[in-house]
Amino acid sequence: MTAGPPIHDLHFDEAPNVETKIPGPRSRRLLERQEAIDSGAVAYPKVVPIALEEGRGSTLKDVDGNVFLDFFAGIGVMNVGHSNPYVLEAVNDQTSKLVHTIDFPTEARLEFIEAVNDVAPPGLRDQCKMVFGGPSGSDANEASIKLAKQYTGRHGLLAFEGSYHGGTAGALSLTGGVKYKAGYEPLLPDAIHVRYPYPYRESLSDDDAEAVCPRGDCCGRMSCARSLEAVKEKFEGPYSGHEPPAAIWVEPIQGEGGVVVPPKGFLQGLRDIADDNDALLVADEIQSGFGRTGKWWACEHYDVTPDVITMAKGIGGAGLPLGATLYHEQFDTWGPGGHIGTFRGNVPAMRGGTAAIEYVQEHDLLEHATELGEYIRSRLQDVDSHLVGEVRGEGLFVGVELIDEDGEPSADLVKAVQTRCYENGVLIWKAGREGNVLRLLPPLVTTHEQAEIGLDIVTDALRAATSGDLP
Ligand SMILES: Cc1ncc(COP(=O)(O)O)c(C=O)c1O
């Protein structure tokens, strides 16, 4: 079987091709209509002012006919590209038969669970269960909170500064970003946040990391040692101020927080602390998972098996909403209704997810993502600008931290570069605690030629910023 067309055939040929000012006249009209009737909570078009018409592969067409390279992919959702015909065929076939089944068994549901099991990390593969509640990443994290609480009988939640885990009350409690919580607190009690290693920002002096690190097998990075020490203190410190948490929630690579890649030993350190304290280790792979980093799950870069993986975004294949929580079967001690929701697994989305897994496998997209990510990072590193603090990431999860002349985080620079990029036909996003990180999340089906053209535009924008030529 060949799963659908090769990646070169998935896109609008002419991308990028911008023929109007952005926003173009039709986009402007839709943006104005939206402003009049849609919610004040709408955020994305305020930053990138376009109205969308059609997507194919790694390209997006707006209502004025401008064609963009989509290096943002709906925040890392469209891993196999917009309207991937192989995935759409599976989705449409299912949609014409049956869409909603709550959690009654269907071939589509069971095949999807089996397909995800087959790509689960060793240690979970063939020993896992999956729960579906609501169709979002936030809900997947809600499920993990319930699971950890009911299994351990404890209430505390430990997460990290710089994290993003979602917008519902439990997931928001785990989230580090204070701006998302403002006005909505109190949320869940006993949610605590400790520092996440941030090698670029923290002192890189690693002289005494071993002395600080609570693990015997130290990776030698001070930022990692300090963070692990803080986590251990929250579990074991007699005056830590909290009962030991039920679980640790961690993004193996922080997305919203700035595409922050922790040192090698960090996840293993968390694994050890969780084990020592009978707590669960929950990897939030909602952004980093499903092939984004060149492996199915980012935790595989660290050879660590979490107890629980939460996933969403790309797993619905065609961009259909689907969230799921995968966990070791030993934690499957809850009964019927342990996690609930009307939309506990959308059947066409499950078909889409299974087809997406097949497409990734048949077209070697994990390897492709690894190679293309290296190429993209090397192009960004070559810019040689004092405004580029760090280029980092794994696979097609790429961050560029921008700083001003004084070395301070600069969200204004990110905005200026992002604007120049969309004016020239490349959509990129931002991230970071201070909004000063360019975030590139191209679909895994992005071709080398598209990456080359896209990076010409991104690097030109960075050079223009460096020579003061951006407004
Ligand atoms: C790491 C992470 N966790 C959770 C979420 C929340 O997912 P959703 O927006 O589907 O609720 C996100 C969304 O960006 C995320 O990046």
Side-chain angles (χ1 to χ4, degrees):
M1 176 190 62
T2 303
I7 61 169
H8 287 87
D9 294 354
L10 298 178
H11 322 275
F12 288 118
D13 290 336
E14 65 269 35
N17 182 29
V18 177
E19 300 209 326
T20 69
K21 273 189 73 180
I22 301 294
R26 285 165 190 254
S27 279
R28 192 177 288 283
R29 277 199 291 282
L30 287 193
L31 289 163
E32 282 165 6
R33 262 175 73 198
Q34 181 177 44
E35 179 79 21
I37 60 174
D38 209 340
S39 166
V42 165
Y44 285 89
K46 303 255 161 57
V47 182
V48 179
I50 50 175
L52 298 171
E53 175 83 8
E54 210 181 332
R56 280 199 209 157
S58 302
T59 58
L60 269 177
K61 196 177 269 187
D62 76 3
V63 290
D64 295 286
N66 299 311
V67 187
F68 300 88
L69 283 172
D70 181 9
F71 284 4
F72 161 46
I75 337 181
V77 170
M78 304 313 306
N79 288 11
V80 293
H82 296 277
S83 302
N84 182 306
Y86 182 74
V87 176
L88 278 192
E89 193 185 337
V91 168
N92 292 341
D93 182 52
Q94 183 62 44
T95 306
S96 61
K97 281 200 279 198
L98 184 64
V99 170
H100 177 64
T101 65
I102 319 176
D103 54 13
F104 287 103
T106 56
E107 285 289 343
R109 181 184 185 93
L110 302 182
E111 274 177 24
F112 178 68
I113 295 172
E114 284 164 0
V116 176
N117 169 70
D118 290 347
V119 298
L124 282 170
R125 195 177 309 150
D126 298 328
Q127 307 166 63
C128 60
K129 298 275 185 168
M130 248 174 131
V131 69
F132 303 89
S136 70
S138 301
D139 186 83
N141 280 329
E142 297 292 337
S144 70
I145 293 171
K146 290 177 183 165
L147 188 74
K149 283 186 171 186
Q150 71 82 36
Y151 184 78
T152 62
R154 306 203 299 249
H155 307 102
L157 319 173
L158 189 142
F160 291 94
E161 293 166 11
S163 65
Y164 184 77
H165 295 289
T168 51
L172 195 55
S173 305
L174 295 173
T175 289
V178 177
K179 66 181 175 192
Y180 303 112
K181 303 177 169 189
Y184 306 135
E185 291 185 286
L187 295 162
L188 291 189
D190 300 330
I192 49 179
H193 295 83
V194 300
R195 66 200 297 169
Y196 189 88
Y198 200 141
Y200 168 68
R201 292 223 179 152
E202 294 180 50
S203 152
L204 295 183
S205 94
D206 47 17
D207 310 353
D208 54 354
E210 246 172 277
V212 175
C213 180
R215 301 178 63 214
D217 183 18
C218 176
C219 67
R221 302 299 296 271
M222 199 61 205
S223 63
C224 177
R226 283 204 196 105
S227 176
L228 289 178
E229 189 191 38
V231 173
K232 190 174 164 74
E233 173 65 18
K234 288 295 174 197
F235 275 96
E236 297 173 15
Y239 272 70
S240 72
H242 306 272
E243 69 167 13
I248 301 170
W249 280 262
V250 63
E251 293 164 83
I253 294 174
Q254 278 192 344
E256 180 77 19
V259 194
V260 181
V261 183
K264 272 280 178 231
F266 179 57
L267 214 58
Q268 184 60 51
L270 296 182
R271 177 70 278 173
D272 295 344
I273 295 170
D275 287 345
D276 291 348
N277 292 281
D278 300 321
L280 274 59
L281 180 63
V282 182
D284 178 338
E285 295 262 16
I286 288 160
Q287 192 160 162
S288 58
F290 216 63
R292 167 82 16 224
T293 68
K295 295 196 183 280
W296 279 111
W297 312 103
C299 61
E300 293 175 89
H301 289 285
Y302 306 100
D303 293 325
V304 170
T305 304
D307 299 307
V308 182
I309 293 179
T310 58
M311 60 186 82
K313 290 202 189 278
I315 70 166
L320 294 177
L322 186 64
T325 305
L326 179 99
Y327 53 94
H328 195 282
E329 60 191 3
Q330 81 182 93
F331 305 115
D332 198 35
T333 54
W334 47 12
H339 184 57
I340 45 177
T342 301
F343 295 110
R344 41 185 104 173
N346 174 276
V347 192
M350 289 169 160
R351 276 273 186 239
T354 306
I357 291 173
E358 288 164 3
Y359 192 87
V360 169
Q361 286 172 326
E362 290 254 334
H363 296 269
D364 288 333
L365 293 188
L366 297 183
E367 205 178 308
H368 177 66
T370 305
E371 285 167 14
L372 204 62
E374 276 164 21
Y375 168 74
I376 290 174
R377 277 185 292 282
S378 76
R379 288 289 310 272
L380 292 162
Q381 268 145 2
D382 285 349
V383 170
D384 188 24
S385 162
H386 62 287
L387 303 180
V388 175
E390 189 179 49
V391 176
R392 53 182 179 247
E394 286 282 359
L396 291 173
F397 200 7
V398 179
V400 187
E401 179 145 358
L402 298 188
I403 48 178
D404 64 17
E405 305 290 338
D406 302 321
E408 294 299 319
S410 175
D412 289 346
L413 268 175
V414 163
K415 172 99 185 96
V417 171
Q418 189 186 26
T419 303
R420 174 60 64 91
C421 286
Y422 72 64
E423 286 170 349
N424 288 321
V426 179
L427 304 180
I428 55 175
W429 203 245
K430 56 188 178 153
R433 292 143 165 85
E434 284 83 20
N436 70 313
V437 177
L438 293 171
R439 182 169 25 161
L440 281 68
L441 303 167
L444 311 188
V445 297
T446 304
T447 65
H448 201 279
E449 297 73 39
Q450 288 177 319
E452 226 173 287
I453 296 166
L455 265 295
D456 286 347
I457 291 171
V458 178
T459 53
D460 279 354
L462 283 167
R463 288 197 184 94
T466 309
S467 48
D469 292 341
L470 287 189

